[in-house]
Amino acid sequence: MAGKARSEASSSSRSNTNSNNRGQSKVHDCGRNRTPCGYCKSPGLTSISHGLWAHSLTVNDYQDLLDRGWRRSGSFLYKPEMERTCCPSYTIRLKADNYIPSKEQLRVTRRIQRFLDGTMDCKKPLKVEENQNAAKGACCNADQEVSSSAVKKNSSYNNEEKNGEEKIIKYLSEEINGAVSLCTKSGEFPHDIQLPKASVKKVSHAKRKLLVDVSEHLVYSSNIAFQIAASIKRTQPGMKDVHQSTVSGNLADENVLSPKVIAEKLTNSLKHLAETSGLSVRACNGHLNFYSGTIQTSLDGSAEIVATSEGSAARHASKVFSSKNSSEHPPVKRRRLEIYLKRSSFDPEEFALYRRYQIKVHNDTPDHVTESSYKRFLVDSPLIFVPPTSDGTVPPFGFGSFHQQYVIDGQLVAVGVVDILPRCLSSKYLFWDPDFAFLSLGKYSAIQEINWVKENQIHCPSLQYYYLGYYIHSCNKMRYKAAYRPSELLCPLRYQWVPFDVARPFLDRRPYVVLSDCTSTQGGEPSLPSVTEHAMELQHDDIRQEDTSDVFFYEDEEDIEPESESSDDESGTESSSPTSHQMESGDVGNILIGLKGSCVKYKL
């Protein structure tokens, strides 16, 4: 019987392997685990979950498991028994395209930019709060102390900055006027009329828009295209209806000089600014927008984000418009941020940073932070790597487990551990240099990971979601994950996704809730959904798993930084059946489980 099951499972798995060439999953059932809870710190073994040991796991199978409430720590997979465990943990996700950054998250981005520009004073050391293990983002909120001497220098820096901005604006205006002149000489613009001169304005911080890459900011803007279009319209009768046609969206003739077309032509003539000033120019609905920031790709294919700022344009403008007083002020030290994405592997520099982080931030003893424990926790992965393809099904870096390194001026300051899966980026862990706590690198890395999903949808359209791991409403230090909005929680019974704002009133009243029942009571006064028979059943299998260091790792994971999960597609998870807690056919049916020396299919 066992041999027959093994043969059937192997045959089915081979068939699936031939269809997607992504290997075969094999896991070993570890049974129920009872461990001390790292969240409520209650006495006894109150944290209850079910465990699997993964020898190998395809990215598709892991995605299906994640979308049923599982997650991994190294090669160990676990799923909380929600109706039994002391702190129910709900999988939380965010659709990247719908992400709306909060004011605090925008402040973090601007703080990083000021630090890179060299305009932020960092002379005084910052104390790392004891409670920083609250979260990947919330733990970095320590305010920086500013010395009195820095305050005195502030006014002089502000004056210098203002002068620098005026030079940049003058430089950009002249560059635009030069581009207009070129377009006129080439016949793209009429040569028999007087065209207006360009004016450039600095965009305030409040109005700056974050793009796909959060390291880029809208800094300056010009509406010269609208002015040129208006001048042409006044002098040429055939252009009278251009503006109305543009607004209605019915402009069919691309040669008509609408503000949008004019802005595109000018943009093509201003592309050299990216090299000469560090500012990239783009046409946006007729406006000429100037952005700070560039993106590069290293030779080995690793993602490298090189953060720049308007400071580079200021330096170039200073060369063009030489200032007699430039030598009176010391040059501002600018910094270079690079972000590299690499396959999960042991790196001595990463381990040294991890060890320092665990000891200083989480007060771990040095003998507890070992190389072997680090490897089991953050390096070892059962995920089978899928190399990139050109057919739009796999992103440029492939699918699998990765480490994302944040490097400032050649110094490794943070490492994010992530899994890239067919439909999401699953953020697992982040550790950072305690000396850089004031930068809130936890929040910054989360924003970067969300934007990574957006950016790579071009290469792999199925990539839609960013998973932040488990949300634990009963643990205050885990509630920060809901700050990344709009988020959804996974129903632990029916595996449907429920908006966090809908679920929150019910979670305020009870730790364990069948979230899918909340959607039917949205219209009226919140009433707690009834606890179903399934949720009240007690399993007879009460075997306690032997404690091992491998098993215990996942208990500490969320206690430190945010992680994230991946998900199945929405059609697969939002089942309409009231008893859809049983897995749909094909979800994880190809996973092999080791049982008494045989391999059998996983069935719920």
Side-chain angles (χ1 to χ4, degrees):
M1 181 67 181
K4 183 177 179 181
R6 179 175 184 175
S7 175
E8 178 185 356
S10 300
S11 174
S12 172
S13 187
R14 280 195 300 271
S15 174
N16 183 64
T17 301
N18 291 335
S19 64
N20 57 30
N21 295 320
R22 294 185 180 177
Q24 181 183 78
S25 298
K26 183 176 180 180
V27 300
H28 178 80
D29 188 9
C30 298
R32 176 179 295 165
N33 293 276
R34 294 178 179 270
T35 61
C37 182
Y39 306 114
C40 64
K41 307 295 183 182
S42 60
L45 306 178
T46 57
S47 179
I48 305 173
S49 64
H50 197 92
L52 298 172
W53 184 265
H55 299 279
S56 62
L57 199 59
T58 68
V59 291
N60 299 80
D61 288 337
Y62 183 47
Q63 180 126 41
D64 291 337
L65 285 172
L66 284 172
D67 210 35
R68 294 299 187 269
W70 293 79
R71 67 183 323 269
R72 76 175 184 89
S73 174
S75 295
F76 185 72
L77 306 175
Y78 62 98
K79 178 181 180 179
E81 293 189 8
M82 297 287 280
E83 67 277 12
R84 285 173 167 265
T85 192
C86 57
C87 295
S89 308
Y90 300 86
T91 301
I92 183 171
R93 77 175 184 181
L94 164 75
K95 191 167 186 178
D97 282 342
N98 297 339
Y99 169 58
I100 303 173
S102 66
K103 290 182 179 179
E104 171 59 24
Q105 289 157 9
L106 291 174
R107 277 196 293 269
V108 168
T109 302
R110 291 194 292 267
R111 187 185 309 151
I112 293 280
Q113 193 64 47
R114 290 198 308 273
F115 177 74
L116 297 175
D117 293 344
T119 58
M120 187 169 93
D121 182 73
C122 307
K123 289 185 177 181
K124 283 237 175 182
L126 295 168
K127 293 182 179 179
V128 180
E129 294 183 3
E130 248 177 71
N131 260 343
Q132 274 186 325
N133 52 347
K136 178 180 181 177
C139 60
C140 307
N141 284 335
D143 289 330
Q144 116 182 47
E145 300 175 18
V146 182
S147 63
S148 58
S149 60
V151 175
K152 294 178 182 177
K153 292 179 182 178
N154 236 357
S155 58
S156 62
Y157 281 145
N158 288 340
N159 292 333
E160 185 179 1
E161 183 179 1
K162 185 177 180 181
N163 293 334
E165 289 172 1
E166 291 175 354
K167 292 174 185 177
I168 297 171
I169 289 173
K170 184 177 179 182
Y171 169 68
L172 293 178
S173 298
E174 292 197 357
E175 288 292 316
I176 295 174
N177 291 333
V180 172
S181 178
L182 286 175
C183 290
T184 302
K185 290 178 181 178
S186 64
E188 295 181 88
F189 294 167
H191 62 277
D192 54 349
I193 62 174
Q194 181 67 37
L195 296 178
K197 296 296 183 181
S199 62
V200 177
K201 294 183 178 180
K202 182 180 169 101
V203 180
S204 65
H205 283 288
K207 294 182 179 179
R208 290 187 181 183
K209 296 179 180 179
L210 294 176
L211 302 180
V212 172
D213 174 16
V214 79
S215 68
E216 295 196 342
H217 299 280
L218 174 59
V219 186
Y220 300 98
S221 183
S222 174
N223 63 351
I224 182 62
F226 289 91
Q227 299 176 37
I228 294 175
S231 297
I232 296 174
K233 180 181 176 181
R234 285 193 298 269
T235 57
Q236 297 185 9
M239 295 297 295
K240 287 184 179 180
D241 298 326
V242 167
H243 181 68
Q244 182 61 33
S245 300
T246 305
V247 174
S248 63
N250 296 323
L251 187 60
D253 186 1
E254 292 183 359
N255 293 321
V256 175
L257 292 178
S258 66
K260 186 175 180 180
V261 172
I262 292 172
E264 292 287 352
K265 291 180 180 295
L266 293 176
T267 298
N268 291 333
S269 300
L270 293 170
K271 288 184 177 179
H272 64 279
L273 290 177
E275 296 180 1
T276 60
S277 68
L279 293 175
S280 60
V281 58
R282 299 176 196 171
C284 182
N285 296 324
H287 291 273
L288 283 181
N289 290 340
F290 299 89
Y291 300 86
S292 67
T294 60
I295 305 176
Q296 300 177 352
T297 303
S298 59
L299 294 177
D300 62 356
S302 299
E304 177 183 355
I305 301 175
V306 183
T308 63
S309 69
E310 58 258 45
S312 56
R315 290 200 309 277
H316 181 77
S318 296
K319 293 177 183 178
V320 179
F321 309 103
S322 58
S323 172
K324 294 180 180 179
N325 298 325
S326 61
S327 61
E328 295 179 7
H329 301 285
V332 176
K333 181 183 178 182
R334 297 184 64 256
R335 301 172 179 87
R336 177 185 177 90
L337 169 64
E338 298 163 300
I339 303 177
Y340 300 96
L341 188 66
K342 58 187 284 287
R343 294 269 305 275
S344 180
S345 62
F346 179 76
D347 183 327
E349 187 180 12
E350 288 184 2
F351 172 64
L353 179 62
Y354 169 79
R355 180 179 172 84
R356 187 162 176 258
Y357 168 80
Q358 292 295 131
I359 294 173
K360 287 203 171 185
V361 177
H362 296 290
N363 299 317
D364 284 356
T365 57
D367 58 339
H368 179 72
V369 188
T370 63
E371 188 175 302
S372 59
S373 65
Y374 167 73
K375 287 180 178 178
R376 287 196 300 268
F377 180 30
L378 296 177
V379 177
D380 294 347
S381 172
L383 297 187
I384 301 171
F385 176 71
V386 179
T389 62
S390 57
D391 58 2
T393 59
V394 183
F397 308 105
F399 293 135
S401 299
F402 297 85
H403 286 192
Q404 194 165 46
Q405 297 181 334
Y406 294 78
V407 180
I408 296 179
D409 287 346
Q411 178 184 352
L412 182 67
V413 298
V415 177
V417 181
V418 300
D419 292 325
I420 298 176
L421 302 166
R423 294 182 183 90
C424 73
L425 182 145
S426 171
S427 178
K428 176 177 168 54
Y429 200 82
L430 180 95
F431 52 94
W432 36 264
D433 190 328
D435 290 342
F436 289 83
F438 62 92
L439 290 180
S440 298
L441 290 170
K443 291 178 184 176
Y444 183 72
S445 66
I447 297 170
Q448 285 288 346
E449 289 165 1
I450 292 171
N451 286 317
W452 186 95
V453 175
K454 290 182 183 180
E455 181 182 325
N456 281 273
Q457 287 176 6
I458 300 172
H459 309 289
C460 181
S462 64
L463 268 172
Q464 296 287 326
Y465 292 96
Y466 176 66
Y467 278 70
L468 296 97
Y470 286 142
Y471 173 81
I472 306 176
H473 196 71
S474 58
C475 179
N476 287 332
K477 67 183 180 180
M478 296 305 295
R479 291 190 178 189
Y480 75 93
K481 295 185 180 184
Y484 298 89
R485 299 171 60 87
S487 57
E488 300 173 304
L489 300 180
L490 181 67
C491 175
L493 177 61
R494 299 189 179 94
Y495 304 119
Q496 297 175 0
W497 291 101
V498 178
F500 173 78
D501 291 337
V502 173
R504 181 172 184 171
F506 301 96
L507 293 172
D508 285 338
R509 301 173 64 182
R510 191 166 64 199
Y512 174 70
V513 178
V514 180
L515 298 179
S516 55
D517 289 344
C518 300
T519 57
S520 61
T521 60
Q522 287 185 64
E525 184 72 20
S527 58
L528 284 174
S530 59
V531 180
T532 64
E533 239 179 72
H534 171 82
M536 297 180 66
E537 286 178 0
L538 297 180
Q539 300 181 17
H540 296 293
D541 178 19
D542 197 20
I543 300 175
R544 176 181 169 188
Q545 181 72 16
E546 287 293 324
D547 292 340
T548 67
S549 56
D550 289 327
V551 173
F552 269 98
F553 270 118
Y554 75 91
E555 288 300 328
D556 295 329
E557 192 166 347
E558 300 225 31
D559 195 27
I560 301 173
E561 297 292 341
E563 354 58 30
S564 305
E565 311 288 317
S566 14
S567 78
D568 201 7
D569 59 11
E570 292 180 75
S571 61
T573 59
E574 298 181 3
S575 173
S576 58
S577 170
T579 58
S580 62
H581 56 275
Q582 292 185 344
M583 295 188 184
E584 295 182 13
S585 176
D587 280 341
V588 290
N590 292 319
I591 295 181
L592 302 183
I593 301 178
L595 183 64
K596 297 181 179 179
S598 300
C599 294
V600 297
K601 279 187 179 180
Y602 181 94
K603 287 185 179 180
L604 190 66

